[in-house]
Every structure is written in C-alpha cells, then in structure tokens.
Amino acid sequence: MPVTTTTYWAEHAWLPDDEGTVAHGVVLEAADGRIAAVRPGVQAPPPGATALRGITLPGLANAHSHAFHRALRGRVQAGSGTFWTWRDTMYQAASRLTPESYHALARAVYAEMALAGITSVGEFHYLHHAPGGTPYADPNAMGEALTAAAAEAGIRITLLDTAYLSSGFGAAPNAHQLRFSDGTAEAWATRVSALKQSETVRIGAAIHSVRAVPAGRLATVADWARDRQAPLHVHLSEQPAENEACLAAHGRTPARLLADHGALGPYTTAVHATHLTDEDIALLGGSRTGTCMCPTTERDLADGIGPAAALQRAGSPLSLGSDSHAVIDLLEEARAMELDERLRTRTRGHWTAAALLRAATADGHTALGWRDAGHLEPGALADFTTIALDTVRTAGPPPGLAAETAVFAASAAEVRHTVVAGRHVVRDGVHALVQDVPRALAESIAVLYE
C-alpha cells in the first residue's frame, strides 16, 4: 500500500541536542506513524502543510498515573489530615468502580491528558478485581478497560500492572485492598501474562510498594519484568512510616530491600523516592534505576520534597508524573521540580529548561518502554505537542527563549495541538476524538457519587 505522508510546519521546534536547540521554521514529515524527515530553516508553511504556531515539543510522557484518582479532585483538598487519611477517601472511590465506569472515567481523563500535550501515560494499575476480590469473568477486564480508554482518547499507554498482596509487612489485605490482590505473586504473573501489547499499548509491571509485596515475592515480579525487558515501577519511600515499618520488619530500608531482591536496575523506576538515605540515593543512582517525581501530588498529600537533584547527580534518570491528578499539567510538574528544590535549598538554577523538558519527554518515555519516542528526529514516533507563545502567560519573551517560556510560564492551557502517530488528536485546543471532555469528566465522576 502507498505510504501517506502528513506534513506539519512548526513555527518553532525544540530539537534534540545537549542543550535542546530551539529551531525556527521546521518542517516535520510523518509517515506510518513515525517522523520521516525534519527540515529546519523553512520560513513559511509549505503548500499542504498544517501550521503549528508556537513551540513544538516532543509529546509529553506522564510516567505515573492513577486514573481513578481524578475523581477525587476538589473533594480532598480542604481540611486537615495526612496521606493516610487521604488514602481512606481514595479507597471509597475505588470501591465504586466497575469495568464500564472505569472505562468511561479513564477515557475522559486520558482525553484531558491529550489536551495537556501528553502523548503517553504510565498507568500504575492495581484495581484488578470485583469488590471482595472475586475476579471478573475476564480477569483482566479492568486493565483492558484502561487500554481501550487510552486508544479512544488517542494516546499511548504503558499499563503497569501492579502486584499488591498485603496491607503491610506480613498483614493480609484489608477489605478495600481485596480488589487489588491476586493472592500470590505467581497468580499475579499468570494473569498479567495474558495482557496483549499493540502499536499503542505496552505492558509493564509494578510492585505497589515493599509494604504490599512480601520480600520473598519481590523477585517474582522483578523477574517477570526482566525476562520481558518490560518496565518495572515501584512506589518507594513516599512516607517515613513506610521506612520505619520496613526497618522494623527487615532491618533495612525499602531501597536496600529492593536491591537485595534484584528489583533495581535500568528497567526500574522508583516513584516518589521522597525519604531516602544517602545510601539509598547511591543504590538508585549506581544501578541506573530511574526516579519519577510527582511534585503536584507530593505537595497535595504533604509528602515532602524528594532529593531529585541528588538522585540525578548519582546517576538516576528523572521522569515526571501527575499521579493523583490534583492537576494534569506536565509543564507544572517540570517547573515544580525546580521550584521545590529552590525552596528546599534556597538557591536557584538546579536544572535548565532543556533538562526539565528531557525529564518530561525523552526520559519519561524511556521509563515507560517507549524508547523511540520523545525526540523530534527521523525514525522517532511522530508524537508531538505545540505550546502557544502568544497568550497572556507566554507573550513577550523572544523566540530564542521559547523553551524557558514553556517550562517556567506556560501551563496545560497553552497546549494548542497534540499529534500522536502523525495524527492530530488535539487541534487548536479541541479534542478531535472525545466530544466535550469537561462533560465527559463530570458525567463519569458523578456516577461514582450517586
């Protein structure tokens, strides 16, 4: 069959090099879902090309998502409490979901992500079974609802199917967590092995936490991922209480426990990694384990500020996630990582705009198993997004500072276009596949509170 080429002309584009050059007048040709050619220095759109006004970036990678947490936005921000009291509210929302309602909610959430310039999401998925823990007739009905939702919203997904076997060190799952548990790590591996990949779906693994997977079963999950060269993600040291309980149960930190059971390495991403010792930082960096920071969630839940700069210096690649979706805005996550570090250290300039964009694009996609995404170069997946430079937030700086403007001034509201596999998913700020995304969100969330 003849190959159809789609031509885009980017007014400005962030091209891959050590400093992230902003080029002006760049033609991007897409064919068979990949970038076929990149031609800078073209000062006007060629005939037939679609013009992308603003700065075009590689598509953003949301490396950590719990889609159903979007239903909590606005309901959990008021009042006092801790991560643990917030968790009780989250369990209530989880208890109401079915494959059908989860599909509707996730479709709307992933459409919101596309509107925010996100082209790939890592869904940390542990809501597997019916209430009480009974498997659905299709044991992967909930996971398949998520992959179908992403396809209908026009974005790629890495389904990080999560092992969750206990409520704490040696404790059985509580009533809410029965939905999460397969009973044994071997049963988890059997179920997840039936999930199918596609051009827009990757299947990875996750250890919910060292609280939720017994030490003797960590290797089962890690080996499943390693055998398939699949991503492995894990919540790590999000709370001091987790560290204290791990020390009491095993005499070592969560990071050391994971290392001792072969769960660290270049295919692993530690999520949060907020409360680490110097030895923990060296373990993650030395093993090239990635770290996914989720600053807006870590703020919202009062988790603390993780040692992102120290982790990167030690050798841990950084990625970003919106996690609980207090907001869905990867530009804000990138900006927050730098600004939170400024607050912690009272010094400025820990990352350049280019380094923050790499975390939001190439390194995020690598963490999700999409190593051929995150770059505007021939052969890469034709996934990109365009940020407006003429709004009240972004107008003024010269084009040479477009990357800095995107990171430090723009928000998801500035996203004008999102292209996935060469196809326009968001055009001029309007989703092409999901009609009326706000209404879809409102209706799918209301169902959970009827």
Side-chain angles (χ1 to χ4, degrees):
M1 295 179 63
V3 175
T4 300
T5 299
T6 303
T7 302
Y8 295 93
W9 177 82
E11 184 179 23
H12 311 288
W14 189 70
L15 299 182
D17 59 30
D18 289 343
E19 296 302 321
T21 297
V22 176
H24 311 295
V26 178
V27 170
L28 301 169
E29 294 181 355
D32 284 345
R34 293 186 177 271
I35 296 175
V38 178
R39 293 189 284 116
V42 180
Q43 297 309 309
T50 298
L52 306 175
R53 300 284 178 181
I55 180 170
T56 295
L57 311 171
L60 305 178
N62 189 352
H64 190 66
S65 163
H66 302 288
F68 75 91
H69 289 192
R70 175 62 178 82
L72 302 176
R73 187 187 295 176
R75 298 173 185 269
V76 293
Q77 273 69 39
S80 61
T82 67
F83 167 86
W84 305 103
T85 54
W86 169 89
R87 189 178 72 159
D88 291 337
T89 305
M90 179 269 288
Y91 283 162
Q92 293 296 326
S95 70
R96 302 181 181 104
L97 285 161
T98 66
E100 294 75 22
S101 63
Y102 204 5
H103 171 266
L105 175 59
R107 178 175 176 268
V109 173
Y110 296 151
E112 181 182 357
M113 291 185 191
L115 288 168
I118 293 163
T119 56
S120 297
V121 60
E123 184 61 40
F124 200 100
H125 167 57
Y126 54 80
L127 189 54
H128 301 307
H129 307 300
T134 302
Y136 290 103
D138 175 357
N140 284 309
M142 293 294 264
E144 289 165 356
L146 292 167
T147 57
E152 292 173 27
I155 69 172
R156 302 182 194 275
I157 186 171
T158 298
L159 188 71
L160 298 160
D161 197 288
T162 304
Y164 196 129
L165 305 175
S166 69
S167 64
F169 296 93
N174 66 31
H176 292 295
Q177 295 163 348
L178 291 171
R179 295 197 75 174
F180 311 161
S181 178
D182 290 293
T184 68
E186 292 74 19
W188 167 85
T190 298
R191 180 183 54 73
V192 71
S193 294
L195 287 162
K196 304 298 184 186
Q197 299 196 139
S198 71
E199 289 185 1
T200 59
V201 176
R202 294 281 183 273
I203 304 300
I207 294 165
H208 179 274
S209 58
V210 295
R211 290 181 290 107
V213 177
R217 297 293 175 262
L218 293 171
T220 301
V221 184
D223 289 347
W224 185 95
R226 186 177 299 107
D227 290 347
R228 293 160 177 78
Q229 295 189 322
L232 172 67
H233 288 216
V234 54
H235 289 137
L236 178 65
S237 294
E238 184 177 2
Q239 293 292 320
E242 175 186 328
N243 292 350
E244 294 161 6
C246 190
L247 286 165
H250 298 289
R252 67 200 78 180
T253 65
R256 170 53 71 183
L257 188 66
L258 290 169
D260 289 348
H261 290 274
L264 299 184
Y267 286 92
T268 300
T269 297
V271 181
H272 301 304
T274 307
H275 302 282
L276 301 181
T277 67
D278 290 345
E279 181 192 17
D280 294 339
I281 292 170
L283 282 171
L284 268 63
S287 62
R288 297 292 296 167
T289 299
T291 305
C292 178
M293 306 301 292
C294 305
T296 63
T297 292
E298 290 148 9
R299 290 172 177 174
D300 186 53
L301 299 184
D303 286 344
I305 299 171
L311 282 161
Q312 188 166 60
R313 286 195 300 269
S316 178
L318 300 179
S319 56
L320 297 164
S322 64
D323 191 6
S324 68
H325 312 315
V327 297
I328 294 177
D329 188 339
L330 263 287
L331 298 173
E332 172 61 22
E333 303 294 346
R335 174 166 58 245
M337 189 163 69
E338 165 67 22
L339 299 186
D340 286 356
E341 188 69 6
R342 292 182 186 185
L343 285 174
R344 193 179 68 82
T345 64
R346 291 184 288 177
T347 60
R348 305 175 79 233
H350 301 277
W351 291 276
T352 64
L356 294 169
L357 286 175
R358 279 195 296 274
T361 59
D363 289 346
H365 281 101
T366 295
L368 298 179
W370 299 98
R371 295 174 182 271
D372 49 355
H375 306 278
L376 297 181
E377 61 185 9
L381 292 171
D383 299 354
F384 39 90
T385 188
T386 304
I387 311 299
L389 297 175
D390 58 357
T391 74
V392 293
R393 285 170 292 275
T394 59
L401 294 178
E404 286 76 8
T405 303
V407 170
F408 290 105
S411 72
E414 269 67 53
V415 171
R416 289 294 175 264
H417 303 279
T418 302
V419 172
V420 180
R423 180 178 67 164
H424 239 126
V425 175
V426 173
R427 185 190 296 267
D428 295 320
V430 177
H431 202 288
L433 304 176
V434 179
Q435 301 300 313
D436 198 345
V437 176
R439 180 176 179 180
L441 285 163
E443 291 179 348
S444 61
I445 291 169
V447 166
L448 303 185
Y449 294 96
E450 290 176 347

